[in-house]
Amino acid sequence: MLKTIFIHLLNDFSGSPKVLSQVLKRFEKSNDIELYTSKDEGFLSNLTANHKHFFYKRFNNKFLTLFSYVLSQLDLFFKILKYKKEDTIYINTLLPFGAAIAGKLKACEVIYHIHETSIKPNILKKFLRYVVSKTASKIIFVSNDLASKEAFENKNTYIVHNALENNFLEIASKYEYKFLYDEKFIVTMICSLKEYKGVLEFITIASNLVSQNHISFKLILNAEQTEINNYFENKNIPSNIEIFSKQKDLEPFYSKSSLVLNLSRVDICIETFGLTIIEAMAYGIPVIVPPVGGPIEIVEEGLEGFLISSYEIDKVAKKIAELSNNEITCINLSKNAKEKALIFSEDLFLGKIQKVVDG
């Protein structure tokens, strides 16, 4: 029986494994599949009985993490060599190069689902792109912007925007936007614990608005509490902000948010899509997002939110203060956001992925 083997490096609660979890739910019903990831807990846990693991661990020391990464790809390479040329190797993100090389050696079809463009150091990115150029049969990009920036010559390329799960949309559709929650205009950001995601900018904006007693801030980080404690140990956190560790269920946060921010630094981390952006919009929450990359394919200035660079901290803070005193504007933005989010249908997304794999 033909198999589809799905590969993802770090199983956690970030965007790319969440997208792959949607794909797996579709293929689990009709295909013989296997899944390879790290042993961590994340969106890909408990989705299939055929979930296999390879060694990978992140460390605070970047050289230890790099060593772990290289070992993980050697481990993965030898695990994938057992498959037959009739099987399909489906690689989520650029990172699992060991699976791509093994798949190519076994003459398997190798499909890449590319979510990212900001990989450091640059020599690693060049190497990973080289592997893609030599091994990929088909390449899926999550946005037109990413496809234009990371194009490969002579490759079958497909644009498939990420989507919201049907059950998520169903829950979100029942939610009625609240301009204030407990008399507070709540500004939320959900991201990884990386400076290039705008964590420090978020703290600065909160500090700048600390005198505005009706505005509060919530920062949800895809990190363990110990990592968060270590990171903020010597930093001043203003009284108007709450910080939370990784969350599997974001509904309690979206349902109490007045505005959602994405502050990724536009010169370091260009958002290739922005899953939390459309999640927030599904709840009818206005957004402020970067004016580059995937977000510009989701948000139109002044309709669902605003396009402002995180480097324009004063401008972001001013817009937040302005919105916090304008309920009518926020309600209009909310209606537009909710309507736009319906475009990102899971059924349409999965149908396109199925065509790529079967075609």
Side-chain angles (χ1 to χ4, degrees), residues 10 48 58 84 176 221 248 352-353:
L10 179 65
T48 174
R58 281 185 173 176
K84 302 174 183 177
E176 185 175 343
L221 296 168
K248 189 170 184 179
K352 289 180 178 179
I353 295 291

Side-chain angles (χ1 to χ4, degrees), residues 231-298:
Y231 182 81
F232 289 104
E233 185 176 9
N234 298 313
K235 294 179 175 64
N236 293 321
I237 306 301
S239 59
N240 60 347
I241 187 169
E242 290 181 86
I243 301 175
F244 300 85
S245 59
K246 64 171 67 175
Q247 305 287 319
K248 189 170 184 179
D249 182 12
L250 293 170
E251 188 273 336
F253 296 94
Y254 286 132
S255 63
K256 298 175 184 177
S257 295
S258 309
L259 179 71
V260 166
L261 306 186
N262 182 304
L263 297 175
S264 294
R265 295 178 181 175
V266 295
D267 59 338
I268 301 174
C269 176
I270 297 177
E271 293 287 351
T272 55
F273 184 73
L275 192 58
T276 57
I277 297 171
I278 60 169
E279 285 182 347
M281 288 166 57
Y283 274 85
I285 306 167
V287 294
I288 294 178
V289 301
V292 297
I296 65 175
E297 297 176 34
I298 303 171

Side-chain angles (χ1 to χ4, degrees), residues 14 19 38 62 75 97 160 186-187 293 304 309 349:
S14 61
V19 172
S38 66
K62 64 181 180 181
D75 186 14
F97 68 88
V160 183
I186 300 176
V187 182
E304 301 86 17
S309 167
F349 163 77

Side-chain angles (χ1 to χ4, degrees), residues 301-328:
E301 175 74 15
L303 284 184
E304 301 86 17
F306 301 91
L307 303 163
I308 308 174
S309 167
S310 62
Y311 288 117
E312 298 181 277
I313 286 178
D314 290 342
K315 187 175 180 180
V316 175
K318 183 179 178 181
K319 181 59 69 175
I320 292 170
E322 176 188 313
L323 291 172
S324 73
N325 290 297
N326 198 328
E327 183 174 2
I328 293 175

Side-chain angles (χ1 to χ4, degrees), residues 3 14 19 23 31 41 52 73 82 94 134 155 157 162 174 186 193 196 203 205 226 243 250 252 308 311 317 327 339:
K3 291 183 178 180
S14 61
V19 172
V23 177
N31 296 65
E41 184 70 17
K52 305 176 188 300
Q73 296 314 295
K82 71 179 182 180
L94 285 169
K134 296 299 181 182
K155 293 291 180 182
T157 299
N162 294 338
K174 297 175 182 176
I186 300 176
L193 183 52
Y196 59 72
I203 301 297
I205 290 166
T226 52
I243 301 175
L250 293 170
I308 308 174
Y311 288 117
E327 183 174 2
E339 185 176 342

Side-chain angles (χ1 to χ4, degrees), residues 197-213:
K197 287 293 188 178
V199 173
L200 297 181
E201 284 83 350
F202 189 79
I203 301 297
T204 302
I205 290 166
S207 297
N208 290 351
L209 294 172
V210 74
S211 63
Q212 304 276 339
N213 295 326

